Amino acid sequence: MEIIVAADPEAVGHVAAHRIAQLVRRKPNAVLGVATGSSPVPTYQALEKRVRDGLDVSRVSAFALDEYVGLTEGHPQSYAEVVRRDVTERLGLDPERVHVPKGHAEDVPAACEEYEDAIRSAGGVDLQILGIGSNGHIGFNEPSSSLSGRTRVKTLTPTTRRDNARFFDDDLSKVPTHCITQGIGTILDADVALLVASGEGKADAVAAMAEGPVGAFCPATALQMHRRAVVVVDEAAASKLKNREYYDFVRDNRPIWQL
């Protein structure tokens, strides 16, 4: 696991966007996994600037990590709408190449299987963007989730629902109780896992993910087993890392072929 500490959320976004842009230049038809929430927003903002400066994303495809179950199609807080606003339109992606689980489907379990098949048919995800929940979840894989699970329906924890109530006018009753999420097994299949996090509220989760024992009660620890996991965090989110000196040394002494 490569851990990069940047000064602030904006700097996190620039570091992450640089990695994504490198991939797209190397592979113009790259498949991205995209995450919602507040942590990835600076990454999309920084990537938007690169698109304006000439980065060609016309052939890029994207698969969202998750979606609420039970919201009506077009609901402003559905992740389909969030991805449309924050990713597809911001970056100028082809809407036909952007995929989100169908949380409004009549047969939700079938929609999960179809989504897993669609990722496989696209050749898999080249780079999966991730955030991390305060309880250590990635995607909507809550504590106790299988570390080998695939796309499926999950029940959200009270902690996650409280954290997300701010997107629903701080009305907890409006926050769905269920979701579709890519499983950790699906996430680990991506060629690169790129996790971004900012703020002191993520410090415990980041430390547990990077330096704690691998286990289902902090699902993000599964990234320790990923062959190419990159974690980009700001100073506040890195504040509880014990091995910080080494992470900075690695960052400052990267061989030229890694730049």
Side-chain angles (χ1 to χ4, degrees), residues 26-111:
R26 185 174 70 251
K27 185 178 181 181
N29 63 339
V31 179
L32 300 179
V34 295
T36 55
S38 56
S39 290
V41 169
T43 298
Y44 301 138
Q45 292 171 335
L47 196 58
E48 179 185 18
K49 182 179 185 303
R50 284 162 173 77
V51 172
R52 290 199 305 266
D53 290 343
L55 180 67
D56 183 4
V57 295
S58 61
R59 296 169 59 196
V60 169
S61 299
F63 286 87
L65 263 179
D66 41 33
E67 176 61 288
Y68 290 114
V69 169
L71 296 182
T72 56
E73 188 172 6
H75 188 287
Q77 294 307 324
S78 70
Y79 285 166
E81 285 297 295
V82 174
V83 168
R84 179 185 62 78
R85 295 191 302 264
D86 288 351
V87 182
T88 308
E89 293 183 354
R90 183 186 295 276
L91 303 181
L93 298 182
D94 180 352
E96 295 299 316
R97 294 176 177 267
V98 180
H99 311 275
V100 182
K102 296 179 179 177
H104 60 277
E106 290 188 11
D107 188 340
V108 175

Side-chain angles (χ1 to χ4, degrees), residues 128-143:
Q128 177 65 63
I129 302 166
L130 298 165
I132 185 170
S134 60
N135 62 2
H137 74 243
I138 50 174
F140 270 141
N141 295 282
E142 301 281 26

Side-chain angles (χ1 to χ4, degrees), residues 144-160:
S144 78
S145 292
S146 166
L147 298 186
S148 61
R150 314 303 298 187
T151 302
R152 67 213 188 284
V153 178
K154 286 292 291 182
T155 303
L156 300 175
T157 64
T159 296
T160 297

Side-chain angles (χ1 to χ4, degrees), residues 1-13:
M1 179 182 289
E2 179 183 2
I3 300 176
I4 302 169
V5 181
D8 52 34
E10 183 179 4
V12 168

